[in-house]
Amino acid sequence: MEKQTKLWKPAEYTQDHPDIVEAANALKAKDVVAFPTETVYGLGADATNEEAVQRIFDAKGRPADNPLIVHVADQQQVGQLVTHIPEVAQLLMDTFWPGPLTLILESNGTAAQNVTAGLSTVGIRMPEHPLALALLKAVERPLAAPSANRSGRPSPTAADHVIQDLDGRIAGILDGGATGVGLESTVLDCTSDVPVILRPGGITKEKLEQVLPEVRVDPSLLGEAGKPKSPGMKYTHYAPEAPLWLIDGNDDFFMEQLNRYKSEGNRVGVIASDELLAKLDHEQVISCGSRKKVDEIAGKLYHALREFKRSEVDLIFAETFDESGVGAAVMNRLRKASVKVLESH
Ligand code: AMP
Ligand code: MG
């Protein structure tokens, strides 16, 4: 299924710009097109058309039982997709849209079966990126759009990452530069009385609690006694080329472990904060910003995960971060990306 992937870089983000019209026409013809959002690049297809949506799963190699998020141009399009809009969902849309918050609502069946993976619910969000919104307006229908990476790889935060993973497999890429938030949206289930966070993301629990009386966190995100679950055994999510280990302890513990594994002959790549890197005498390092600026770390994380090549390192060690605010999403992704945790206690 090798095809010529077009690269558009529109100078202006308006719905009648020729590049955006061409991309919209490809989508109307059931093709798939990657576009930037404020979180990561998405791989879009007409959410109401099963054949178009199937091309997303084919291009990504995504398992069919993992539902896709539907992106809308405005709140009005939500009404076309759901049986009803609960009061709490209305409040959240008014407060946080456009923005990195996906709401799970009862589907009325307008979204294709494969978008919802057969579930009775559908995840919907209105992105904040002007290019995404211009495309959604031009195409005049909701777009199903998971992250535009091959399944299992880190999500793309630049058009280059999309090219690395999907060149020759999709109709085109709209290049809007680097994305802002850098991690995917928060997924919030609004089908029960108390909303439940299914995936932490750009809109933090703390922010949600400012407008909601109560928010729960899905138990699968937490292990027993609030301890995070151990990471997956296989490279199924956000996986870099070399195995990623999380080093859960203070800076001295990190340095001890690094020295130990280096002395055993391993080439170790390090992903860490500026503060930790300042203490290390080591060459294979990638900074993801200051510990004090967790938003910056979120923005740089996926790029860092793509940087180390298997030919250059045997292992990647990553620092752990404070889990307040966006730190919850950062640690959620790092745990999924990792195959092992070295704990200091
Ligand atoms: P991605 O599109 O790669 O950002 O992933 C979409 C995320 O949203 C996955 O974690 C899905 O499991 C989740 N999701 C999408 N739709 C639903 C739904 N109807 N119910 C629960 N989770 C959903
Ligand atoms: Mg994804």
Side-chain angles (χ1 to χ4, degrees):
M1 53 190 261
E2 195 71 12
K3 58 171 101 179
Q4 187 72 36
T5 298
K6 280 209 156 187
L7 189 64
W8 299 286
K9 203 167 180 174
E12 277 165 37
Y13 300 161
T14 52
Q15 69 194 85
D16 51 8
H17 188 286
D19 290 351
I20 295 176
V21 170
E22 199 181 335
N25 285 339
L27 288 161
K28 286 179 188 170
K30 302 182 203 172
D31 255 322
V32 292
V33 168
F35 61 94
T37 78
E38 80 281 24
T39 59
V40 301
Y41 273 73
L43 183 60
D46 180 350
T48 63
N49 188 288
E50 193 163 339
E51 199 185 322
V53 170
Q54 185 54 42
R55 293 197 174 146
I56 294 179
F57 286 93
D58 294 345
K60 282 184 60 104
R62 180 168 172 120
D65 61 356
N66 195 357
L68 308 178
I69 292 170
V70 178
H71 292 65
V72 292
D74 49 41
Q75 287 194 21
Q76 224 177 339
Q77 272 185 337
V78 179
Q80 297 163 17
L81 294 162
V82 302
T83 57
H84 67 290
I85 298 177
E87 232 172 89
V88 69
Q90 186 61 54
L91 173 67
L92 291 165
M93 290 193 285
D94 292 338
T95 311
F96 296 109
W97 281 13
L101 178 65
T102 296
L103 303 177
I104 305 294
L105 300 167
E106 295 293 345
S107 171
N108 67 7
T110 301
Q113 272 279 83
N114 46 357
V115 170
T116 58
L119 297 173
S120 64
T121 55
V122 58
I124 307 174
R125 88 175 187 101
M126 177 181 171
E128 201 177 0
H129 199 290
L131 180 43
L133 289 171
L135 180 67
L136 283 161
K137 282 192 196 122
V139 78
E140 294 176 300
R141 65 198 78 186
L143 293 177
S147 49
N149 51 279
R150 289 299 294 262
S151 198
R153 298 264 295 140
S155 303
T157 51
D160 257 1
H161 301 163
V162 183
I163 295 170
Q164 280 170 22
D165 277 18
L166 297 175
D167 193 23
R169 303 180 68 85
I170 62 177
I173 302 170
L174 278 163
D175 184 348
T179 58
V181 178
L183 296 178
E184 300 85 344
S185 61
T186 303
V187 177
L188 188 71
D189 185 354
C190 295
T191 62
S192 53
D193 288 342
V194 178
V196 184
I197 295 175
L198 301 183
R199 175 175 76 183
I203 300 294
T204 61
K205 181 164 189 277
E206 291 85 341
K207 280 192 194 158
L208 293 169
E209 281 168 346
Q210 285 171 6
V211 295
L212 299 176
E214 198 183 345
V215 188
R216 295 210 179 110
V217 176
D218 186 72
S220 74
L221 294 173
L222 308 162
E224 279 165 25
K227 243 187 149 257
K229 263 183 150 182
S230 58
M233 301 293 285
K234 293 191 299 182
Y235 307 137
T236 46
H237 268 98
Y238 317 115
E241 286 190 11
L244 180 85
W245 291 14
L246 276 182
I247 314 302
D248 191 3
N250 61 19
D251 290 354
D252 288 340
F253 179 71
F254 194 105
M255 289 187 278
E256 239 170 73
Q257 297 305 316
L258 178 60
N259 290 334
R260 176 174 157 208
Y261 283 88
K262 268 165 77 174
S263 70
E264 288 171 3
N266 297 291
R267 297 170 302 168
V268 185
V270 170
I271 296 176
S273 65
D274 294 341
E275 288 86 350
L276 175 56
L277 293 186
K279 297 182 187 176
L280 299 183
D281 178 23
H282 187 65
E283 276 175 10
Q284 299 271 49
V285 297
I286 293 174
S287 158
C288 46
S290 168
R291 240 174 226 168
K292 297 188 199 101
K293 295 185 192 154
V294 72
D295 288 355
E296 195 181 316
I297 290 171
K300 290 182 175 174
L301 183 66
Y302 286 140
H303 184 73
L305 290 176
R306 279 179 180 265
E307 278 301 285
F308 287 121
K309 302 295 167 219
R310 188 71 187 86
S311 55
E312 296 159 4
V313 296
D314 304 306
L315 285 174
I316 301 171
F317 280 10
E319 177 180 349
T320 53
F321 298 94
D322 182 73
E323 297 208 32
S324 52
V326 178
V330 169
M331 284 309 299
N332 171 264
R333 305 309 190 273
L334 270 175
R335 279 196 196 94
K336 290 199 169 187
S338 67
V339 294
K340 188 174 175 125
V341 182
L342 294 180
E343 275 181 297
S344 65
H345 42 78

